[in-house]
Amino acid sequence: MPQVSRVVAVVVAYNRRELLMEALAALAAQSRTLDAIVVVDNASDDGSGDAVRASFPTVDLVTLERNTGGAGGFAAGMAHALEAHDPTWLWLMDDDTIPTPSAAAELVAAVEAQPEVTIAGSRVIWTDGQDHPMNTPREKPFVSATEKSAAQAASTLAVRSSSFVSMFVSAAAVRQWGLPVADYFIWNDDFEFSTRLLRSSRGIFVPASVVVHKTKLLGSTDLDPGERFFFEVRNKVWLMRHSRGLKVWEKAMYGASSIRRWIRTIRRSQQRPVLWAGLRRGLAEGGRTRPVSNTDYFADLPAVAAAVARVEAARG
């Protein structure tokens, strides 16, 4: 990969104005100055867009006319950033992600030390300093000795996937392997995207790069998700059936892990009927449908659809 020259942050925002202001202040205070910041306002109705314009006038604000979810927001924001800012690296995060001052610098140092890396993720903690269980990395299964030792030599960990809470991704890899699948809306979009890029390249976890994930509660995705459980199930079925990110043996491994997690989630839930309904609906829809193309997903947003189409048409 080329040496780092331009780093562009992409922040997806929806109705968390105060957290968004805090996140943008933290990005502005990075010890490694960012070359641009793109904020995708997912049709917020809490004044988030106006607050960005008033307090951070140099931020490149992309305002969407409907809520496209995290998946759609990142697809739209990345396409815009690739065309408008010519980045070498994209730094992706949600609006409740608060980077510590050296977070960007540590990511840059880590990828410069390992030129073959295309994705790097930060250490994610909660407000009390604990590692956040929603974003805890796992070492890449069956990682080669060469890849493992290279990661360890740079004080990093070889991984197979990464999270949009703080994902540093090579713009060249995105241009080659495509954008996130917008129709996922929420959940598993970052897993599908990162495993697709990392099927033929290397990813790392960088513990020296720290961000705070300011969720309301400290817990993983199996913390009683309610009606959103539908997206977890449908998207995981879509991923297993249609994504090119995982090899056959990986689909078997991650599929079995997902089923165990679904069972555990339903057992622990205070809303079991809601989750059972989400499971049935997710399995049915995931089995009979597939995600629409990104250009179709954004058909009612012509400027976004055009940018997405141009990026994906140029894929290697």
mmCIF file with all atom_site columns, all heavy atoms in Angstrom, residues 256-270:
data_model
loop_
_atom_site.group_PDB
_atom_site.id
_atom_site.type_symbol
_atom_site.label_atom_id
_atom_site.label_alt_id
_atom_site.label_comp_id
_atom_site.label_asym_id
_atom_site.label_entity_id
_atom_site.label_seq_id
_atom_site.pdbx_PDB_ins_code
_atom_site.Cartn_x
_atom_site.Cartn_y
_atom_site.Cartn_z
_atom_site.occupancy
_atom_site.B_iso_or_equiv
_atom_site.pdbx_formal_charge
_atom_site.auth_seq_id
_atom_site.auth_comp_id
_atom_site.auth_asym_id
_atom_site.auth_atom_id
_atom_site.pdbx_PDB_model_num
ATOM 1   N N   . ALA A 1 256 ? -22.219 -21.027 12.919 1.00 0.00 ? 256 ALA A N   1
ATOM 2   C CA  . ALA A 1 256 ? -22.478 -21.743 14.166 1.00 0.00 ? 256 ALA A CA  1
ATOM 3   C C   . ALA A 1 256 ? -22.383 -20.806 15.365 1.00 0.00 ? 256 ALA A C   1
ATOM 4   O O   . ALA A 1 256 ? -23.194 -20.874 16.296 1.00 0.00 ? 256 ALA A O   1
ATOM 5   C CB  . ALA A 1 256 ? -21.481 -22.897 14.313 1.00 0.00 ? 256 ALA A CB  1
ATOM 6   N N   . SER A 1 257 ? -21.395 -19.912 15.351 1.00 0.00 ? 257 SER A N   1
ATOM 7   C CA  . SER A 1 257 ? -21.256 -18.935 16.428 1.00 0.00 ? 257 SER A CA  1
ATOM 8   C C   . SER A 1 257 ? -22.475 -18.022 16.512 1.00 0.00 ? 257 SER A C   1
ATOM 9   O O   . SER A 1 257 ? -22.949 -17.695 17.606 1.00 0.00 ? 257 SER A O   1
ATOM 10  C CB  . SER A 1 257 ? -19.986 -18.109 16.205 1.00 0.00 ? 257 SER A CB  1
ATOM 11  O OG  . SER A 1 257 ? -19.871 -17.075 17.155 1.00 0.00 ? 257 SER A OG  1
ATOM 12  N N   . SER A 1 258 ? -23.017 -17.624 15.351 1.00 0.00 ? 258 SER A N   1
ATOM 13  C CA  . SER A 1 258 ? -24.193 -16.746 15.338 1.00 0.00 ? 258 SER A CA  1
ATOM 14  C C   . SER A 1 258 ? -25.403 -17.438 15.930 1.00 0.00 ? 258 SER A C   1
ATOM 15  O O   . SER A 1 258 ? -26.164 -16.832 16.699 1.00 0.00 ? 258 SER A O   1
ATOM 16  C CB  . SER A 1 258 ? -24.492 -16.301 13.904 1.00 0.00 ? 258 SER A CB  1
ATOM 17  O OG  . SER A 1 258 ? -23.456 -15.496 13.395 1.00 0.00 ? 258 SER A OG  1
ATOM 18  N N   . ILE A 1 259 ? -25.604 -18.699 15.584 1.00 0.00 ? 259 ILE A N   1
ATOM 19  C CA  . ILE A 1 259 ? -26.751 -19.432 16.120 1.00 0.00 ? 259 ILE A CA  1
ATOM 20  C C   . ILE A 1 259 ? -26.664 -19.537 17.636 1.00 0.00 ? 259 ILE A C   1
ATOM 21  O O   . ILE A 1 259 ? -27.648 -19.342 18.348 1.00 0.00 ? 259 ILE A O   1
ATOM 22  C CB  . ILE A 1 259 ? -26.838 -20.828 15.469 1.00 0.00 ? 259 ILE A CB  1
ATOM 23  C CG1 . ILE A 1 259 ? -27.211 -20.675 13.986 1.00 0.00 ? 259 ILE A CG1 1
ATOM 24  C CG2 . ILE A 1 259 ? -27.863 -21.692 16.192 1.00 0.00 ? 259 ILE A CG2 1
ATOM 25  C CD1 . ILE A 1 259 ? -27.107 -21.969 13.199 1.00 0.00 ? 259 ILE A CD1 1
ATOM 26  N N   . ARG A 1 260 ? -25.477 -19.832 18.151 1.00 0.00 ? 260 ARG A N   1
ATOM 27  C CA  . ARG A 1 260 ? -25.307 -19.898 19.606 1.00 0.00 ? 260 ARG A CA  1
ATOM 28  C C   . ARG A 1 260 ? -25.620 -18.549 20.248 1.00 0.00 ? 260 ARG A C   1
ATOM 29  O O   . ARG A 1 260 ? -26.262 -18.485 21.302 1.00 0.00 ? 260 ARG A O   1
ATOM 30  C CB  . ARG A 1 260 ? -23.873 -20.328 19.951 1.00 0.00 ? 260 ARG A CB  1
ATOM 31  C CG  . ARG A 1 260 ? -23.574 -21.775 19.628 1.00 0.00 ? 260 ARG A CG  1
ATOM 32  C CD  . ARG A 1 260 ? -22.281 -22.221 20.301 1.00 0.00 ? 260 ARG A CD  1
ATOM 33  N NE  . ARG A 1 260 ? -21.125 -21.459 19.842 1.00 0.00 ? 260 ARG A NE  1
ATOM 34  C CZ  . ARG A 1 260 ? -20.370 -21.817 18.808 1.00 0.00 ? 260 ARG A CZ  1
ATOM 35  N NH1 . ARG A 1 260 ? -20.654 -22.907 18.114 1.00 0.00 ? 260 ARG A NH1 1
ATOM 36  N NH2 . ARG A 1 260 ? -19.323 -21.087 18.462 1.00 0.00 ? 260 ARG A NH2 1
ATOM 37  N N   . ARG A 1 261 ? -25.162 -17.450 19.603 1.00 0.00 ? 261 ARG A N   1
ATOM 38  C CA  . ARG A 1 261 ? -25.419 -16.126 20.156 1.00 0.00 ? 261 ARG A CA  1
ATOM 39  C C   . ARG A 1 261 ? -26.902 -15.771 20.098 1.00 0.00 ? 261 ARG A C   1
ATOM 40  O O   . ARG A 1 261 ? -27.442 -15.159 21.019 1.00 0.00 ? 261 ARG A O   1
ATOM 41  C CB  . ARG A 1 261 ? -24.585 -15.085 19.413 1.00 0.00 ? 261 ARG A CB  1
ATOM 42  C CG  . ARG A 1 261 ? -24.658 -13.697 20.062 1.00 0.00 ? 261 ARG A CG  1
ATOM 43  C CD  . ARG A 1 261 ? -23.619 -12.749 19.490 1.00 0.00 ? 261 ARG A CD  1
ATOM 44  N NE  . ARG A 1 261 ? -23.783 -12.534 18.063 1.00 0.00 ? 261 ARG A NE  1
ATOM 45  C CZ  . ARG A 1 261 ? -22.997 -13.053 17.120 1.00 0.00 ? 261 ARG A CZ  1
ATOM 46  N NH1 . ARG A 1 261 ? -21.982 -13.835 17.471 1.00 0.00 ? 261 ARG A NH1 1
ATOM 47  N NH2 . ARG A 1 261 ? -23.211 -12.802 15.849 1.00 0.00 ? 261 ARG A NH2 1
ATOM 48  N N   . TRP A 1 262 ? -27.580 -16.160 19.040 1.00 0.00 ? 262 TRP A N   1
ATOM 49  C CA  . TRP A 1 262 ? -29.021 -15.901 18.943 1.00 0.00 ? 262 TRP A CA  1
ATOM 50  C C   . TRP A 1 262 ? -29.776 -16.601 20.066 1.00 0.00 ? 262 TRP A C   1
ATOM 51  O O   . TRP A 1 262 ? -30.662 -16.017 20.696 1.00 0.00 ? 262 TRP A O   1
ATOM 52  C CB  . TRP A 1 262 ? -29.557 -16.382 17.589 1.00 0.00 ? 262 TRP A CB  1
ATOM 53  C CG  . TRP A 1 262 ? -29.051 -15.622 16.414 1.00 0.00 ? 262 TRP A CG  1
ATOM 54  C CD1 . TRP A 1 262 ? -28.370 -14.430 16.412 1.00 0.00 ? 262 TRP A CD1 1
ATOM 55  C CD2 . TRP A 1 262 ? -29.158 -16.012 15.029 1.00 0.00 ? 262 TRP A CD2 1
ATOM 56  N NE1 . TRP A 1 262 ? -28.055 -14.054 15.129 1.00 0.00 ? 262 TRP A NE1 1
ATOM 57  C CE2 . TRP A 1 262 ? -28.529 -14.983 14.264 1.00 0.00 ? 262 TRP A CE2 1
ATOM 58  C CE3 . TRP A 1 262 ? -29.728 -17.093 14.374 1.00 0.00 ? 262 TRP A CE3 1
ATOM 59  C CZ2 . TRP A 1 262 ? -28.459 -15.047 12.876 1.00 0.00 ? 262 TRP A CZ2 1
ATOM 60  C CZ3 . TRP A 1 262 ? -29.665 -17.156 12.983 1.00 0.00 ? 262 TRP A CZ3 1
ATOM 61  C CH2 . TRP A 1 262 ? -29.039 -16.151 12.252 1.00 0.00 ? 262 TRP A CH2 1
ATOM 62  N N   . ILE A 1 263 ? -29.419 -17.848 20.315 1.00 0.00 ? 263 ILE A N   1
ATOM 63  C CA  . ILE A 1 263 ? -30.082 -18.603 21.382 1.00 0.00 ? 263 ILE A CA  1
ATOM 64  C C   . ILE A 1 263 ? -29.832 -17.939 22.730 1.00 0.00 ? 263 ILE A C   1
ATOM 65  O O   . ILE A 1 263 ? -30.763 -17.766 23.543 1.00 0.00 ? 263 ILE A O   1
ATOM 66  C CB  . ILE A 1 263 ? -29.583 -20.067 21.392 1.00 0.00 ? 263 ILE A CB  1
ATOM 67  C CG1 . ILE A 1 263 ? -30.035 -20.787 20.115 1.00 0.00 ? 263 ILE A CG1 1
ATOM 68  C CG2 . ILE A 1 263 ? -30.096 -20.800 22.639 1.00 0.00 ? 263 ILE A CG2 1
ATOM 69  C CD1 . ILE A 1 263 ? -29.412 -22.152 19.935 1.00 0.00 ? 263 ILE A CD1 1
ATOM 70  N N   . ARG A 1 264 ? -28.591 -17.548 22.978 1.00 0.00 ? 264 ARG A N   1
ATOM 71  C CA  . ARG A 1 264 ? -28.252 -16.882 24.236 1.00 0.00 ? 264 ARG A CA  1
ATOM 72  C C   . ARG A 1 264 ? -28.999 -15.556 24.371 1.00 0.00 ? 264 ARG A C   1
ATOM 73  O O   . ARG A 1 264 ? -29.499 -15.224 25.452 1.00 0.00 ? 264 ARG A O   1
ATOM 74  C CB  . ARG A 1 264 ? -26.742 -16.653 24.301 1.00 0.00 ? 264 ARG A CB  1
ATOM 75  C CG  . ARG A 1 264 ? -26.275 -16.041 25.618 1.00 0.00 ? 264 ARG A CG  1
ATOM 76  C CD  . ARG A 1 264 ? -24.755 -16.014 25.699 1.00 0.00 ? 264 ARG A CD  1
ATOM 77  N NE  . ARG A 1 264 ? -24.171 -15.148 24.677 1.00 0.00 ? 264 ARG A NE  1
ATOM 78  C CZ  . ARG A 1 264 ? -23.399 -15.585 23.681 1.00 0.00 ? 264 ARG A CZ  1
ATOM 79  N NH1 . ARG A 1 264 ? -23.158 -16.867 23.535 1.00 0.00 ? 264 ARG A NH1 1
ATOM 80  N NH2 . ARG A 1 264 ? -22.887 -14.712 22.813 1.00 0.00 ? 264 ARG A NH2 1
ATOM 81  N N   . THR A 1 265 ? -29.093 -14.810 23.283 1.00 0.00 ? 265 THR A N   1
ATOM 82  C CA  . THR A 1 265 ? -29.779 -13.518 23.311 1.00 0.00 ? 265 THR A CA  1
ATOM 83  C C   . THR A 1 265 ? -31.249 -13.687 23.655 1.00 0.00 ? 265 THR A C   1
ATOM 84  O O   . THR A 1 265 ? -31.798 -12.951 24.489 1.00 0.00 ? 265 THR A O   1
ATOM 85  C CB  . THR A 1 265 ? -29.643 -12.817 21.943 1.00 0.00 ? 265 THR A CB  1
ATOM 86  O OG1 . THR A 1 265 ? -28.262 -12.604 21.663 1.00 0.00 ? 265 THR A OG1 1
ATOM 87  C CG2 . THR A 1 265 ? -30.365 -11.478 21.941 1.00 0.00 ? 265 THR A CG2 1
ATOM 88  N N   . ILE A 1 266 ? -31.914 -14.663 23.033 1.00 0.00 ? 266 ILE A N   1
ATOM 89  C CA  . ILE A 1 266 ? -33.338 -14.887 23.293 1.00 0.00 ? 266 ILE A CA  1
ATOM 90  C C   . ILE A 1 266 ? -33.552 -15.360 24.727 1.00 0.00 ? 266 ILE A C   1
ATOM 91  O O   . ILE A 1 266 ? -34.484 -14.910 25.411 1.00 0.00 ? 266 ILE A O   1
ATOM 92  C CB  . ILE A 1 266 ? -33.906 -15.894 22.279 1.00 0.00 ? 266 ILE A CB  1
ATOM 93  C CG1 . ILE A 1 266 ? -33.896 -15.277 20.872 1.00 0.00 ? 266 ILE A CG1 1
ATOM 94  C CG2 . ILE A 1 266 ? -35.323 -16.310 22.658 1.00 0.00 ? 266 ILE A CG2 1
ATOM 95  C CD1 . ILE A 1 266 ? -34.247 -16.254 19.762 1.00 0.00 ? 266 ILE A CD1 1
ATOM 96  N N   . ARG A 1 267 ? -32.696 -16.233 25.216 1.00 0.00 ? 267 ARG A N   1
ATOM 97  C CA  . ARG A 1 267 ? -32.844 -16.736 26.593 1.00 0.00 ? 267 ARG A CA  1
ATOM 98  C C   . ARG A 1 267 ? -32.728 -15.610 27.619 1.00 0.00 ? 267 ARG A C   1
ATOM 99  O O   . ARG A 1 267 ? -33.445 -15.608 28.621 1.00 0.00 ? 267 ARG A O   1
ATOM 100 C CB  . ARG A 1 267 ? -31.787 -17.803 26.868 1.00 0.00 ? 267 ARG A CB  1
ATOM 101 C CG  . ARG A 1 267 ? -32.080 -19.149 26.252 1.00 0.00 ? 267 ARG A CG  1
ATOM 102 C CD  . ARG A 1 267 ? -30.946 -20.129 26.532 1.00 0.00 ? 267 ARG A CD  1
ATOM 103 N NE  . ARG A 1 267 ? -31.250 -21.473 26.061 1.00 0.00 ? 267 ARG A NE  1
ATOM 104 C CZ  . ARG A 1 267 ? -30.385 -22.473 26.069 1.00 0.00 ? 267 ARG A CZ  1
ATOM 105 N NH1 . ARG A 1 267 ? -29.139 -22.278 26.520 1.00 0.00 ? 267 ARG A NH1 1
ATOM 106 N NH2 . ARG A 1 267 ? -30.735 -23.671 25.622 1.00 0.00 ? 267 ARG A NH2 1
ATOM 107 N N   . ARG A 1 268 ? -31.839 -14.657 27.367 1.00 0.00 ? 268 ARG A N   1
ATOM 108 C CA  . ARG A 1 268 ? -31.599 -13.584 28.328 1.00 0.00 ? 268 ARG A CA  1
ATOM 109 C C   . ARG A 1 268 ? -32.624 -12.447 28.211 1.00 0.00 ? 268 ARG A C   1
ATOM 110 O O   . ARG A 1 268 ? -32.714 -11.596 29.097 1.00 0.00 ? 268 ARG A O   1
ATOM 111 C CB  . ARG A 1 268 ? -30.202 -12.990 28.109 1.00 0.00 ? 268 ARG A CB  1
ATOM 112 C CG  . ARG A 1 268 ? -29.070 -13.934 28.439 1.00 0.00 ? 268 ARG A CG  1
ATOM 113 C CD  . ARG A 1 268 ? -27.737 -13.286 28.068 1.00 0.00 ? 268 ARG A CD  1
ATOM 114 N NE  . ARG A 1 268 ? -26.590 -14.116 28.427 1.00 0.00 ? 268 ARG A NE  1
ATOM 115 C CZ  . ARG A 1 268 ? -25.336 -13.813 28.146 1.00 0.00 ? 268 ARG A CZ  1
ATOM 116 N NH1 . ARG A 1 268 ? -25.062 -12.691 27.486 1.00 0.00 ? 268 ARG A NH1 1
ATOM 117 N NH2 . ARG A 1 268 ? -24.356 -14.613 28.503 1.00 0.00 ? 268 ARG A NH2 1
ATOM 118 N N   . SER A 1 269 ? -33.363 -12.415 27.119 1.00 0.00 ? 269 SER A N   1
ATOM 119 C CA  . SER A 1 269 ? -34.204 -11.262 26.806 1.00 0.00 ? 269 SER A CA  1
ATOM 120 C C   . SER A 1 269 ? -35.424 -11.147 27.711 1.00 0.00 ? 269 SER A C   1
ATOM 121 O O   . SER A 1 269 ? -36.005 -12.154 28.145 1.00 0.00 ? 269 SER A O   1
ATOM 122 C CB  . SER A 1 269 ? -34.661 -11.340 25.350 1.00 0.00 ? 269 SER A CB  1
ATOM 123 O OG  . SER A 1 269 ? -35.563 -10.303 25.046 1.00 0.00 ? 269 SER A OG  1
ATOM 124 N N   . GLN A 1 270 ? -35.818 -9.907  27.962 1.00 0.00 ? 270 GLN A N   1
ATOM 125 C CA  . GLN A 1 270 ? -37.087 -9.627  28.636 1.00 0.00 ? 270 GLN A CA  1
ATOM 126 C C   . GLN A 1 270 ? -38.202 -9.440  27.606 1.00 0.00 ? 270 GLN A C   1
ATOM 127 O O   . GLN A 1 270 ? -39.340 -9.168  27.969 1.00 0.00 ? 270 GLN A O   1
ATOM 128 C CB  . GLN A 1 270 ? -36.945 -8.346  29.475 1.00 0.00 ? 270 GLN A CB  1
ATOM 129 C CG  . GLN A 1 270 ? -35.857 -8.409  30.533 1.00 0.00 ? 270 GLN A CG  1
ATOM 130 C CD  . GLN A 1 270 ? -36.099 -9.510  31.559 1.00 0.00 ? 270 GLN A CD  1
ATOM 131 O OE1 . GLN A 1 270 ? -37.209 -9.631  32.083 1.00 0.00 ? 270 GLN A OE1 1
ATOM 132 N NE2 . GLN A 1 270 ? -35.078 -10.315 31.831 1.00 0.00 ? 270 GLN A NE2 1
#
